[in-house]
């Protein structure tokens, strides 16, 4: 055993190094797991893992059944890292409980227990089995009797020869607990040899038992009998938390019994429970506390029933709910640990120190999971483990106790070099050296020992507290700490500053939305100290970067931190606090800001009652935002309106103290929703949320169809049309129209009902209906409430007949290369029927089909027209027929006409102009027409001011012209030939500039577009022929 001074030196050295090298006791990174080793495994080694960390590096040993294994002396064992290797394992020598033991200078810990078991399966001892003889209908059990084994087994039975296995159903059952085969009722098909197959799930080895012959007795058939339960679960079934519980139940009987399951306490079976093998096996996965209870298996047939019962009890291995942690304690301190574990049954606790049992004695007290060590000494340092256990398992928790024993040390906790405090304030100068045990403290100011008084106190932790500080307290202070391992001291200075005072505080204000204000905050302070101003709004710091649109700090000097609030909104109402801080003090000043604004939205708009044209509303007032509400306005919206519209109410003006109103003037049978808007002297507030949607009641329709008219249609028809009544004006469901008509001058009306609200047309057909006869027509309306009124009476004509005769005396003449004039005479009135509304001229080229003819229609009595955009020098056919609303009549005989040749395509060339004595003379070359063009009959001269858009034209049959034009304007001139075929190609535009002297000349060239003037002066033009064509 080490001497006390050796322990002191060891722990002092290790604690001094601990900060740099992280020295600590052993900690398990991996602990050994229990395993089952197959004896027939080709690998002849068992490996139990163990991995540990620690500084210094721990050494690792092992225990078997509580006794240490001498790895060095027994070649049967070896270590690989921390893992234990067992060579050529032997079940009689090596089976048992193993623990890993880790040790370094700080102590020893032991791992959890790991069990090593060996799995094997021997062969059956007997080679034959006696014949089993049973009656048909009798129940039967064939015993398996597995051979010696270790490890979990599964069972199956071969019928006669492999691979035919017994199929389990409601009549046959193989118990996985015993391996026995049960046949509830033997049938003739069951006769044969049965062989039990046993499989070890660990080694995967199989053995077959000797076959058992089954024969039928010939002394009769077994009669019916009640179920006899042969396979049943124990009266008590301990079940671990989280495991899968399997309960077997099977009965013999005739008829074959049915198996059912239930809980004796009346509760439902767990929903997760599963039934297998025709209910012979009940499986409950993930077993929990609530699944425990008394379960019953009921076997039943027509002869009776039988019941087997068993109690499922819940158990759980210990599991930590509170573990222990490492403790660093100063010498002579008190150390307490507490560990807690859950489990069923409730775990018990024991403690280990350095791997050995720790017993209560003297300073060491143990109570369940609690360990207390009073007045710790160096000998108490080491590794401690709390062990929680019940009969189902054991768990370990480890922690290290380090005992510190050093003299006072200020190397890392020097007194603050400079401490600032304000006059009248309070200051604590901390003195916290590292020391164990706790030292005693003394203080000096300068070289004088400091005495405690009503202002100066040395606290329990050694810190110095001075209250109501004065300027005289400034100076240097030294703390001295002493224990029986040494003495140390540290010095710092105290500087006393004048306090900060608020000179101008922010004051509460009452403002209106949109205004801007400044909240002042100005102080006096010690200018040797840095000062910081911050503002809070309703308890939250103002972020001037994020909220810069409304908040800005202003002031311009270090003693002012005024707050400007721009464009104040309702959300800015509340408490504003200016906070001022220096390194010696901090203070604050507050003000309340009341913001007046338009009212908030009214609440709970409710439709109390509706009629066909009114709605009774109520609401609750919203916030008045510090300005009384003066009035309310009601708005409505329907599926047919464009947004929200103000509506008429009673009272007409709703004052701010009224919270109900009747909306009037509503349309019947329309779905309305309403909202309310409040106003005060400051403005109009936000609207309320919409009310529910309600439909007004039905009423008789009041609006009649508009624009009742008609006419046209086919022979023997009277067509009546109207504009539909909008849905919002139909006043109810079942809306339709009543169409009434009678011949003009008669008394009795004919009526018909058009049931569709979207209908806009009715056609009356009757073969005796005279064509184009006047009828008086009116259209009424109706809905579910009854009939409304009719529209005003209007006259509509019945359909007319097509014209029956063709126009006569059709003549056509070509007036240009692209135009033809056609005329005709109307049919004799006495020779045709059908009103004539106009005429249709059809024109088609000789090489075109008549159905593709161009059509031109005239209106009324017009008997001539012009057909344009034709091809020059081409033969055309033209025909004319009359038309009306019923259609077109017969066509006249076609007439032929040939259009004139096209006009000359060559424009006038070599245009020359001369000016003299306010006159301009133009000359150009004669244009020669081509063979397929019309001969030139003359020329057109077009001229205008450069700044004017209207053009003047003169014609001449010569190749020159003389113009009398003022010289103070620019002119644009064009020249083109004309012929019987029309106007030919135009020359380029000639620009004649403003003339500054009496004589000028030029030749033709193009010019840009002219500017427009508001008026054109009169231009006198004289023409002089220079050459004849």
């Amino acid at each position: 055993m080490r001497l006390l001074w050796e322990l002191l030196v060891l722990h002092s050295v290790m604690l001094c190094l601990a900060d740099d090298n992280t020295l600590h006791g052993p900690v398990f990174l991996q602990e050994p797991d229990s395993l089952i080793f197959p004896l027939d495994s080709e690998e002849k080694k068992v490996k139990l893992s163990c991995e540990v960390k620690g500084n210094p590096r721990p050494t690792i040993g092992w225990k078997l059944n509580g006794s240490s294994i001498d790895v060095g002396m027994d070649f049967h064992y070896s270590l690989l890292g921390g893992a234990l290797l067992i060579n050529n394992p032997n079940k009689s020598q090596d089976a048992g409980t193993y623990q890993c033991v880790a040790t370094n200078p700080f102590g020893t810990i032991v791992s959890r227990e790991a069990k090593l078991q060996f799995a094997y399966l021997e062969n059956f001892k007997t080679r034959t089995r006696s014949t089993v003889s049973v009656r048909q209908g009798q129940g039967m059990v064939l015993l398996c009797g597995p051979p010696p084994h270790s490890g979990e087994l599964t069972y199956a039975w071969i019928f006669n020869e492999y691979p035919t296995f017994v199929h389990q159903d409601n009549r046959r059952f193989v118990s996985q607990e015993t391996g026995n085969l049960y046949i509830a009722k033997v049938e003739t098909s069951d006769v044969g040899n049965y062989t039990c197959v046993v499989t070890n799930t660990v080694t995967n080895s199989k053995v077959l038992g000797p076959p058992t012959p089954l024969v039928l007795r010939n002394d009769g058939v077994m009669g019916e009998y009640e179920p006899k339960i042969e396979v049943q679960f124990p009266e008590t079934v301990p079940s671990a938390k989280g495991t899968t519980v399997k309960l077997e139940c099977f009965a013999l009987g005739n008829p074959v019994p049915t198996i059912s399951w239930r809980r004796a306490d009346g509760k439902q079976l767990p929903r997760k429970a599963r039934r297998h093998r025709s209910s012979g096996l009940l499986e409950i996965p993930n077993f929990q506390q609530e699944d425990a209870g008394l379960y019953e298996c009921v076997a039943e047939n027509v002869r009776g029933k039988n019941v087997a019962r068993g109690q499922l009890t819940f158990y759980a291995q210990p599991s930590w709910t509170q573990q222990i942690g490492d403790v660093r304690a100063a010498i002579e301190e008190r150390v307490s640990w507490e560990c807690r574990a859950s489990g069923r049954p409730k775990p018990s606790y024991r403690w280990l120190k350095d791997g050995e049992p720790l017993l209560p004695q003297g300073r060491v007290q143990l109570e369940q999971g609690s360990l207390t060590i009073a007045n710790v000494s160096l000998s108490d340092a080491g590794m401690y483990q709390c062990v929680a256990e019940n009969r189902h398992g054991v768990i370990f928790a480890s922690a290290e106790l380090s005992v510190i024993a050093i003299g006072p040390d200020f190397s890392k906790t020097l007194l603050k070099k400079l401490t600032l405090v304000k006059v009248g304030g309070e200051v604590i100068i901390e003195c916290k050296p590292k020391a164990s045990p706790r030292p005693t403290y003394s203080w000096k100011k300068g070289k004088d020992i400091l005495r405690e008084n009503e202002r100066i106190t040395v606290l329990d932790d050694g810190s110095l507290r001075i209250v109501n500080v004065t300027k005289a307290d400034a100076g240097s202070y030294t703390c001295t700490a002493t224990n029986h391992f040494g003495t140390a001291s540290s010095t710092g200075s105290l500087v006393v500053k004048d306090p900060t005072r608020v000179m101008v505080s922010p004051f509460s204000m009452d403002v209106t939305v949109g205004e801007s204000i400044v909240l002042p905050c100005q102080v006096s302070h010690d200018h040797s100290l840095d000062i910081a101003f911050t503002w809070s709004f309703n308890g939250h710091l103002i972020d001037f970067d994020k909220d810069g649109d409304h908040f800005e700090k202003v002031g311009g000097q270090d003693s002012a931190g005024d707050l400007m609030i721009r464009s104040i909104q309702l959300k800015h109402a509340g408490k504003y606090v200016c906070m001022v801080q220096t390194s010696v003090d901090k203070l604050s000043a507050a003000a309340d800001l009341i913001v007046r604004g338009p009212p908030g939205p009214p609440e709970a708009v409710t439709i109390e009652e509706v009629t066909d044209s009114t709605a009774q509303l109520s609401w609750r007032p919203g916030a008045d935002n510090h300005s009384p509400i003066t009035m309310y306005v009601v708005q409505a919206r329907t599926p047919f309106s464009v947004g929200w519209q103000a509506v008429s109410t009673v009272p007409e003006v709703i004052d701010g103290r009224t919270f109900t109103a009747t909306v009037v003037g509503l349309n019947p049978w329309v779905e309305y929703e309403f909202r309310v808007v409040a106003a005060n002297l400051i403005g109009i507030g936000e609207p309320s949320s919409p009310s529910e949607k309600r439909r007004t009641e039905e009423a008789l329709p009041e609006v009649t169809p508009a624009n009742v008219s008609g006419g046209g249609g086919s022979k023997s028809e009277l067509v009546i049309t109207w504009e539909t009544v909008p849905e919002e004006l139909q006043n109810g469901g079942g809306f339709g129209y009543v169409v009434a008509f009678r011949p003009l001058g008669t008394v009795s009306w004919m009526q018909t009902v058009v049931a569709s609200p979207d209908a806009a047309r009715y056609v009356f057909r009757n073969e005796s209906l005279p064509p184009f006869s006047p009828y008086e027509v009116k259209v009424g309306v109706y809905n579910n409430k009854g009939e409304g009124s009719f529209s005003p009476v209007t006259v509509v004509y019945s359909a007319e007949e097509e014209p029956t005769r063709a126009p006569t005396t059709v003549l056509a003449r070509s007036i240009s290369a692209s135009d033809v004039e056609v005329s005709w005479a109307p049919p004799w009135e006495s020779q045709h029927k059908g009103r004539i509304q106009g005429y249709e001229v059809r024109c088609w080229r000789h090489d075109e089909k008549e159905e593709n003819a161009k059509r031109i229609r005239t209106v009324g009595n017009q008997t001539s027209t012009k057909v344009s955009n034709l091809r020059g020098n081409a033969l055309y056919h033209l025909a004319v027929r009359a038309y009306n609303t019923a259609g077109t009549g017969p066509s006249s005989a076609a007439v032929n006409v040939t259009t004139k040749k096209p006009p000359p395509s060559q424009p006038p060339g070599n245009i020359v102009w001369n000016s003299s004595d306010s006159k301009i003379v133009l000359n150009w070359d004669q244009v020669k027409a081509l063979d397929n063009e019309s001969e030139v009959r003359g020329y057109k001269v077009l001229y205008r001011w450069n700044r004017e858009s209207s053009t003047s034209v003169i014609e001449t049959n010569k190749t020159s012209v003389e113009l009398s034009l003022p010289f103070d304007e620019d002119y644009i001139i064009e020249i083109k030939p004309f012929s019987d075929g029309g106007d030919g190609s135009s020359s380029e535009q000639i620009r004649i500039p403003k003339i500054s002297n009496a004589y000028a000349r030029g030749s033709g060239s193009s010019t840009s577009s002219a500017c427009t003037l508001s008026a054109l002066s009169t231009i006198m033009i004289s023409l002089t022929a220079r050459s004849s064509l």
Side-chain angles (χ1 to χ4, degrees), residues 607-624:
I607 304 174
E608 304 288 353
E609 183 181 354
V610 294
T611 66
D612 59 353
S613 62
T614 66
Q616 179 73 36
L617 304 183
S618 66
W619 61 87
R620 293 201 308 266
D624 65 5

Side-chain angles (χ1 to χ4, degrees), residues 624-938:
D624 65 5
N625 292 327
H626 306 290
S627 178
I629 296 172
T630 56
M631 66 177 296
Y632 292 97
V633 174
V634 179
Q635 298 175 339
R637 181 171 65 181
T638 73
F640 316 107
S641 64
V642 180
W644 292 91
Q645 307 290 333
V647 291
S648 300
T649 59
V650 175
E652 185 175 353
V653 177
I654 308 169
D655 63 46
R657 297 181 300 278
T658 301
F659 310 121
T660 61
T662 301
V663 182
V664 297
L666 303 179
N667 290 331
W669 199 239
V670 172
E671 187 178 69
Y672 283 89
E673 55 182 334
F674 301 93
R675 71 181 187 185
V676 181
V677 181
N680 59 18
L681 293 177
I682 296 174
I684 299 173
E686 293 291 322
S688 68
S689 298
S691 69
E692 62 174 333
K693 295 179 180 179
R694 287 276 293 276
R695 188 185 287 272
T696 49
E697 296 181 353
E698 294 181 304
L700 285 173
E702 298 177 354
V703 177
T704 60
N707 294 330
V708 177
S709 61
S714 301
K715 185 179 178 181
S716 303
E717 289 183 349
L718 174 64
V719 178
I720 302 169
T721 61
W722 62 90
E723 289 184 7
T724 59
V725 176
E727 184 180 349
E728 64 267 30
L729 301 177
Q730 293 173 2
N731 289 10
F735 185 84
Y737 300 94
V738 179
V739 181
F741 54 93
R742 65 186 179 188
L744 184 64
T746 61
V747 176
S748 298
W749 291 92
M750 290 182 282
Q751 290 189 355
T752 186
V753 172
V754 180
S756 171
D758 299 322
R761 187 172 186 265
Y762 172 71
V763 179
F764 174 69
R765 294 180 179 87
N766 193 318
E767 293 297 330
S768 62
L769 202 66
F772 206 65
S773 298
Y775 281 79
E776 289 184 310
V777 173
K778 60 181 180 180
V779 181
V781 289
Y782 72 92
N783 63 16
N784 291 336
K785 298 292 286 186
E787 291 189 17
S789 56
F790 280 89
S791 67
V793 176
T794 187
V795 175
V796 175
Y797 284 83
S798 62
E800 54 190 342
E801 292 181 317
E802 302 94 337
T804 57
R805 294 283 182 174
T808 61
T809 320
V810 178
L811 299 174
R813 70 182 183 90
S814 174
I815 56 177
S816 72
S818 60
D819 300 318
V820 170
E821 185 179 68
V822 60
S823 62
W824 60 90
W828 292 101
E829 292 186 6
S830 61
Q831 295 179 345
H832 81 92
K833 297 179 182 178
R835 181 175 63 100
I836 295 177
Q837 281 187 290
Y839 296 90
E840 180 182 86
V841 178
R842 294 180 299 128
C843 175
W844 67 97
R845 210 168 56 243
H846 181 68
D847 55 355
E848 292 178 335
K849 294 182 179 179
E850 184 177 352
E851 54 264 29
N852 296 330
K854 177 186 293 191
R855 287 174 169 80
I856 299 97
R857 280 199 168 189
T858 66
V859 179
N861 296 324
Q862 181 181 340
T863 57
S864 66
T865 189
K866 184 170 73 172
V867 182
S868 301
N869 298 320
L870 303 179
R871 183 184 296 178
N873 197 26
L875 176 62
Y876 282 88
H877 307 289
L878 296 99
V880 184
R881 56 186 177 185
Y883 72 87
N884 61 18
T885 58
T888 56
S891 178
S892 69
V895 297
N896 302 330
V897 64
T898 300
T899 55
K900 296 187 176 184
K901 291 181 180 181
S905 58
Q906 182 68 29
N910 292 327
I911 301 172
V912 178
W913 61 270
N914 297 284
S915 65
S916 176
D917 298 330
S918 300
K919 294 181 180 180
I920 296 174
V921 178
L922 292 167
N923 293 277
W924 59 88
D925 289 345
Q926 181 179 345
V927 175
K928 297 292 185 179
L930 302 177
D931 292 342
N932 61 344
E933 295 177 343
S934 299
E935 290 296 324
V936 176
R937 292 177 49 216

Side-chain angles (χ1 to χ4, degrees), residues 37-100:
F37 182 77
L39 271 181
D40 57 356
S41 173
E42 294 180 0
E43 185 176 352
K44 299 301 182 181
K45 287 185 180 181
V46 172
K47 180 181 178 181
L48 296 172
S49 298
C50 181
E51 186 178 351
V52 186
K53 71 174 182 176
N55 191 5
R57 184 176 180 181
T59 59
I60 295 178
W62 286 84
K63 288 183 177 183
L64 171 58
N65 297 328
S67 300
S68 295
I69 299 174
D70 191 344
V71 177
M73 297 299 294
D74 191 342
F75 295 108
H76 184 58
Y77 301 104
S78 61
L79 289 179
L80 179 61
L84 177 66
L85 295 181
I86 306 175
N87 302 303
N88 299 312
N90 181 283
K91 75 174 182 178
S92 59
Q93 175 184 346
D94 297 319
T97 301
Y98 289 79
Q99 283 182 288
C100 176

Side-chain angles (χ1 to χ4, degrees), residues 911-914 919-924 939-943 954-956 958-964 973-975 1021-1027:
I911 301 172
V912 178
W913 61 270
N914 297 284
K919 294 181 180 180
I920 296 174
V921 178
L922 292 167
N923 293 277
W924 59 88
Y939 298 92
K940 292 181 180 180
V941 179
L942 299 83
Y943 60 94
I954 62 172
E955 292 184 4
T956 179
K958 310 239 186 294
T959 58
S960 66
V961 69
E962 185 178 277
L963 306 177
S964 295
I973 296 177
E974 296 178 50
I975 304 171
I1021 306 170
S1022 63
L1023 304 176
T1024 304
R1026 292 296 178 91
S1027 65

Side-chain angles (χ1 to χ4, degrees), residues 532-578:
F533 291 88
T534 56
W535 283 84
S536 69
F537 169 49
N538 288 339
H540 299 282
L541 280 178
I542 296 175
D543 185 336
F544 289 95
D545 292 329
K546 181 179 178 182
D547 301 319
D549 290 343
H550 294 285
F551 297 111
E552 181 183 355
K553 259 196 295 191
V554 296
Q557 52 185 338
D558 65 351
S559 296
D562 301 346
L563 173 66
M564 173 179 280
I565 311 176
R566 294 192 189 90
S567 185
I568 290 175
Q569 305 298 309
L570 289 171
K571 64 182 180 181
H572 295 138
K575 188 180 188 67
Y576 289 82
V577 179
C578 173

Side-chain angles (χ1 to χ4, degrees), residues 228-516:
K228 178 184 178 185
I229 296 177
E230 288 289 340
V231 180
Q232 67 181 66
F233 48 100
E235 292 183 0
T236 301
V237 183
S239 305
K241 176 182 178 181
T243 60
T244 297
V245 177
K246 297 180 181 180
L247 303 179
E248 291 185 341
C249 182
F250 193 76
L252 311 181
N254 187 6
V256 175
T258 58
I259 305 294
S260 60
W261 295 85
R262 67 191 181 194
R263 290 185 62 157
D265 54 11
K267 295 180 182 178
Q268 294 292 324
L269 287 175
R271 294 182 63 182
K272 60 190 175 183
R274 300 187 292 263
R275 299 168 180 83
H276 300 282
R277 302 167 192 160
S278 298
S279 295
L281 174 67
L282 178 68
E283 188 173 281
I284 306 174
N286 191 24
F287 189 78
Q288 299 295 323
Q289 175 73 57
E290 61 269 18
D291 300 324
L294 184 62
Y295 285 72
E296 292 183 339
C297 163
V298 181
E300 189 172 9
N301 65 11
V302 295
R303 306 299 296 178
K305 68 177 179 179
N306 214 330
V307 179
R309 297 180 180 86
Q311 184 78 33
L312 267 65
T313 60
F314 175 83
Y315 75 84
Q317 297 179 356
S319 175
W320 290 120
T321 58
Q322 178 181 336
Q323 296 195 49
I324 57 176
D326 294 342
V327 172
R328 291 170 62 87
I331 196 167
E332 299 176 358
E333 283 187 352
R334 179 186 181 89
V335 172
S336 292
W337 268 309
E338 184 174 14
C339 58
R340 287 284 177 263
S342 61
R344 191 174 182 93
K346 187 177 180 180
S348 61
Y349 301 91
R350 54 190 173 88
W351 288 81
L352 305 176
K353 183 195 174 192
D354 293 331
E356 299 298 330
L358 182 65
L359 301 176
Q361 57 180 0
R363 296 179 299 106
V364 179
Q365 297 296 319
L366 301 178
E367 184 176 350
Q368 287 297 330
S370 297
L371 165 63
T372 302
I373 305 175
N375 195 22
V376 296
S377 65
L378 290 173
S379 61
D380 296 318
M383 299 300 299
Y384 288 78
Q385 289 181 282
C386 176
V387 184
E389 56 190 331
N390 61 16
R391 63 175 176 268
H392 304 293
V394 183
I395 55 176
F396 293 75
S398 304
E400 179 181 351
L401 174 58
S402 303
V403 180
I404 305 170
I406 57 173
D409 179 11
F410 282 99
S411 61
K412 294 192 176 181
T413 55
L414 290 170
L415 259 64
K416 193 174 179 182
K417 188 174 181 180
L418 186 65
T419 302
L420 301 177
V421 66
K422 68 178 180 178
V423 173
E426 176 182 325
V427 67
I428 294 177
I429 305 175
E430 290 187 343
C431 179
K432 294 185 176 180
K434 187 174 184 181
S436 180
R438 181 176 172 273
T440 59
Y441 301 94
S442 63
W443 283 83
K444 288 182 179 181
K445 182 187 177 190
K447 296 182 179 181
D448 299 327
I449 295 175
L450 198 61
R451 306 293 182 185
E452 293 189 65
N453 55 39
E454 67 277 1
R455 290 195 313 112
I456 301 173
T457 309
V458 178
L459 303 179
D460 290 341
D461 65 355
S463 300
L464 178 66
R465 178 174 179 243
I466 306 175
V467 299
N468 195 17
V469 175
T470 67
K471 290 279 189 178
D473 293 323
S476 65
Y477 287 80
T478 301
C479 175
T480 302
T482 303
N483 66 11
H484 52 267
F485 294 110
T487 298
S489 62
S490 181
T491 301
S493 296
L494 179 65
V495 177
V496 181
K497 298 287 187 178
D498 291 326
T500 305
R501 291 184 175 84
V502 176
M503 306 306 292
V504 181
S505 297
F507 50 89
S508 297
M509 302 178 72
D510 190 327
V511 298
T512 301
V513 166
E515 292 182 353
S516 297

